[in-house]
Amino acid sequence: MTRNVLIAGAGPGVSGSLARLYAAEGGSVGLLGAEEDVLGALRADVEAAGALAGSSVVDLTDDAATRAAVTRMGEHVGHLDVVHFNPSAYREKDPLSLTPDELLDDVRLGVGALLSVLQAARPFLGPGGRITVTGSMAADRPWHGAASLGVQKAGVQNLVHSIDATLKDDGIRAVSVTVRGLLKKEGPFAPDNVARALRAAIDQDEADWRTEIPYAG
């Protein structure tokens, strides 16, 4: 089964591996990210795998620009089967040095941007559509030295539960995959392996759907 896939927050890590994985299945892959050179390289990988590729450089904290980019991609392919949300902000500040504005800026990217992406993608999602999110053990085991990351991951995990509850009667489901380990170049937590876990999450039995799936390697 080929799918039209949109990846928000596309980069060289897990999201890049996920893009290549979907590309190998055919269909099309749309990429939204902040760095033109990274998107260009990833788009070339997708096309080399034989899939159609589109990309757009966008600041995902810019609501209007994000919605416009998602709409363009949706209109180009006609419909979306999978929307994957990947971004988060990593800021090494503990609660005594992190400012309220910094926290809100980070949450705007790691949580709030999902609303921009989802709401713009909704007209292109039909029954069988899936929303996936890269989660992290920081949601319930935060490191105080990067306090905003835990808030982001807890927030986006919570939001996924609400998204699924809102859309499930329309046949659209949402799931976050909680990565319970540190990403490494090789081994169980290599980006390719985490991407496989994210890909597998959309094939779970809808009758027993889980909105949060742990990946422990």
Side-chain angles (χ1 to χ4, degrees), residues 2-6 22 26-30 46 51-53 77 79:
T2 59
R3 293 179 170 90
N4 293 334
V5 180
L6 174 66
Y22 278 120
S28 66
V29 180
V46 169
L52 299 175
V77 298
H79 74 278

Side-chain angles (χ1 to χ4, degrees), residues 82-170:
V82 180
V83 175
H84 180 70
F85 185 77
N86 183 72
S88 60
Y90 182 78
R91 188 192 299 268
E92 283 201 19
K93 285 197 171 185
D94 66 21
L96 293 180
S97 57
L98 182 67
T99 70
D101 285 344
E102 288 170 337
L103 175 60
L104 293 175
D105 284 346
D106 293 350
V107 169
R108 185 172 183 84
L109 174 64
V111 185
L114 176 54
L115 295 177
S116 302
V117 172
L118 171 70
Q119 291 167 15
R122 178 62 186 90
F124 306 101
L125 287 163
R130 297 292 183 258
I131 297 99
T132 60
V133 172
T134 306
S136 166
M137 62 182 179
D140 53 22
R141 294 179 58 190
W143 177 51
H144 67 280
S148 81
L149 181 62
V151 175
Q152 293 170 71
K153 290 304 184 182
V156 79
Q157 180 176 292
N158 185 290
L159 184 56
V160 166
H161 297 316
S162 293
I163 291 170
D164 184 75
T166 300
L167 296 177
K168 65 181 181 179
D169 288 345
D170 296 327

